[in-house]
Amino acid sequence: MSFSTFSGPLRVGTERYGANMNTGLPVLAQSTPVVFGTLTGNAFRLPAGSQILSATMQTTTVFSAATTVKLTIGSTDITGTATVTTVGVATVTFATSTAALALLSNVGSSDVTVTYTLAGAGLTTGAGNLILQYVQRGSDGAQNPTTFQN
């Protein structure tokens, strides 16, 4: 089995143009391992125009102390956090300010790095996978073509 790379947003459906257009964009995901010894790292690189849908932390080894997983999107200090205390899945809760919602809706006109930070006193164990789900759109955030053909 191999991987394929596409150079632009992927649109799926049977009618691409016109009044009966039924195409949509697939949900994509990136995953990165997170361990107690690496407290900060560049987790993901998202294409320009992407819309972030969700982030989750799948804990596979219990952290030795209550641990907060914090995400920062690009150079803007807009964060999402999840507190991990047991093995399982924790949802990252994002800020609900106007600026945060705008950034989640469209990461901007250039590719952006999402970083993570782990915080917890006395961490000696713990591991998991951080997963970010998003929709890749045009670099201007457009989901559909601006002109239609009939």
Side-chain angles (χ1 to χ4, degrees), residues 12-96:
V12 180
T14 58
E15 296 291 330
R16 185 173 174 189
Y17 299 107
N20 295 323
M21 183 177 75
N22 66 1
T23 58
L25 303 174
V27 174
L28 304 169
Q30 293 185 31
S31 176
T32 190
V34 175
V35 296
F36 74 92
T38 306
L39 298 180
T40 301
N42 290 338
F44 312 104
R45 185 91 175 137
L46 297 182
S50 291
Q51 177 182 22
I52 296 174
L53 302 176
S54 68
T56 54
M57 176 65 182
Q58 292 180 337
T59 303
T60 55
T61 302
V62 176
F63 287 87
S64 56
T67 303
T68 301
V69 179
K70 174 181 161 186
L71 294 180
T72 303
I73 302 167
S75 60
T76 305
D77 188 23
I78 297 175
T79 60
T81 59
T83 302
V84 180
T85 55
T86 62
V87 170
V89 178
T91 301
V92 174
T93 303
F94 289 99
T96 57

